[in-house]
Amino acid sequence: MPNIRTRLLVVLVVLFGSLSVAGPTPATAAPLPDSLWFDQTPLKVQNGRFVDGNGREVVLRGYNVSGETKLKENNGLPFASTADAKKSATALRALGGGNSVRFLLSWAYAEPARGQVDTTYLAKATDQMRAFLDAGISVYPDFHQDLYSRWLFDTDSWYTGDGAPKWAVDLGDYPDEYCGICPFWGQNITSNEAVKQSTYDFWHNEYGLQDAFLDTAQKTMTYLRQNLTADRFAGVVGFDPWNEPHAGSYDSGQTSRTWEREVLWPFYEKFRARMDAAGWQDKPLFAEPNLFWNANLDFQKQEGGLLDAGTLGPRYVFNTHFYDQKAISGIFMWGKAEDGQYAGDFGTVRDRAAATGTTAIISEFGHPLTGSVSDKAPTVYKAMYQALDSRVKGASWWSNPAGSGPVLSGSQWQWDIYNGRHHELMNDNPDKVQTSGDAWNGEDLSAVRLDDSGKAVLRQDARLLDRIYPSATSGTTVAFTYEDRSRDGSTTLTWNPVPSSLPNVAQLVGSGQYGLLLWRSNSGTAPTELHLPATFPTASTTVVSDLGTAYAPPSYGSATPVGVAAEPGGTGSRRLLLTDTDSGVPHYALVTNGATAPSAALLNAARSELSAWAARNAG
């Protein structure tokens, strides 16, 4: 789109409100523990991918931290203390395999009184964010809202919200909230007049609400930049301005598509200008389209996807969510998810991002872990992670790897260490203390909890969550797949078996987990990285690549084409590093934990099979 208006907004903001709330940027910090020479470079968007300072394609995988921000019990912060944030960050890296988080912030607590930013809140949030950055985890903050504000809801209501401060609600003469027959909290978005009218007012800047939010957002971003060291600030990827945008109500003759064009996109241009003025010029805005643009229920789906935004380019990321509402309903999908279930849905995200000239991230996805539809969770999550890895289902992957597409970044909802241990007075009602699950509108989606000793433990199959993925590819990814062998009860889910046409590869993998990356080199000096799950200890890891074969691969070195090293941050997480020295050449690497002391003959035979397969399918 033409960017004249955006440049004008930058000038106006700089002239009339740089809104500084702290001193100069702190000095550069010491490198993170276990860092290597190519680590800790800032990310940018280039050629439709996240790219690091070494030119490597980067995949962000992690979790939302966390739904606790939506609660009052810790005053809009993800954690009760910085110590808890550090505990959570270490566990997220070591147990959950994440290299990034979507870090939730609250407008209500950032600006509790109009025009007055609470620097105590910002200081605590920054300390908690720093805990993740110091664990080697990239961060993209999100000003979160659901149903606009908790202060719209009566003390005895079935539901609650989060987002806007009380003073913003008090400005409007909103009707008493009522959703009617609404078994799901999200129905309030389109059925609750209080939610609809207040949301409408925000988008139309009634009472100067949007201006106030933008001022607070700029002050928040300025504070973060000025109170994080340069190295830590390099780990902040970008900013997600507003969670799950929806019009509230459309004007006469307006459609979901024209609302995106005429209301939502101008808001993003204004926020982009505030990012620039706050010193975030080199970081992208994570732009979410209309909440319902990619719904998988026909009666929910609305036309959108930023169709009229033109080429977004490197200053924006196409940022969307996906929940299988058919599965969650318990009515529209009776059975379990299957191989390739979400290949089409996630393919739509890939295509939309490509059409806008940027990269994509699915910043929320998930499924309830308790309740009447929780039996679907193991297969739903497996199918979602499968669709993040590849747009080709497992049964077709080996015969059509070139159709795999870029590996998608994603943040699972959610990582809440307080799951099942909350003490939330719902809508300030002492007679409605929420303790179970996520303590918010009956949700229970956290992948983690604390046990009785205070240790973080997973609530989902570690084989599903802690996955091999190409965290940084030195070149262009052609195809990737990961067979996690996660469980649905006692059943092992194998959706991508090695074909019988590759008997030696199949023998090597056996019943173990495996990942396979096919990429094309680009003369980079930094190695390709794959995250190694805890189920891949060095002594049990086998690598077969055109770069070399290894059982129990050696430690990484500049002269070691296949090696292992710790991931930065000192959490004990590990990575496989693959070094090539050419350009435009296809390479492959199979990583498996299925073999026990494989013979040199088997390794060489498997390598021959994979080399022939890669030559046929490199594209």
Side-chain angles (χ1 to χ4, degrees), residues 384-445:
M384 288 182 175
Y385 274 110
Q386 179 195 52
L388 288 173
D389 290 343
S390 171
R391 67 189 303 160
V392 178
K393 68 179 184 178
S396 306
W397 191 89
W398 283 93
S399 60
N400 184 29
S404 194
V407 180
L408 277 178
S409 294
S411 299
Q412 181 176 323
W413 184 273
Q414 63 162 331
W415 190 268
D416 173 19
I417 61 173
Y418 306 119
N419 177 270
R421 297 175 180 273
H422 293 282
H423 188 83
E424 174 74 0
L425 277 63
M426 185 174 181
N427 299 317
D428 297 319
N429 187 340
D431 296 324
K432 294 189 71 173
V433 178
Q434 306 296 300
T435 60
S436 62
D438 301 336
W440 195 84
N441 285 343
E443 289 195 339
D444 188 6
L445 286 88

Side-chain angles (χ1 to χ4, degrees), residues 107-118 165 167 216:
W107 177 21
Y109 292 93
E111 190 187 6
R114 183 163 194 166
Q116 299 178 24
V117 170
D118 187 346
W167 61 261
T216 296

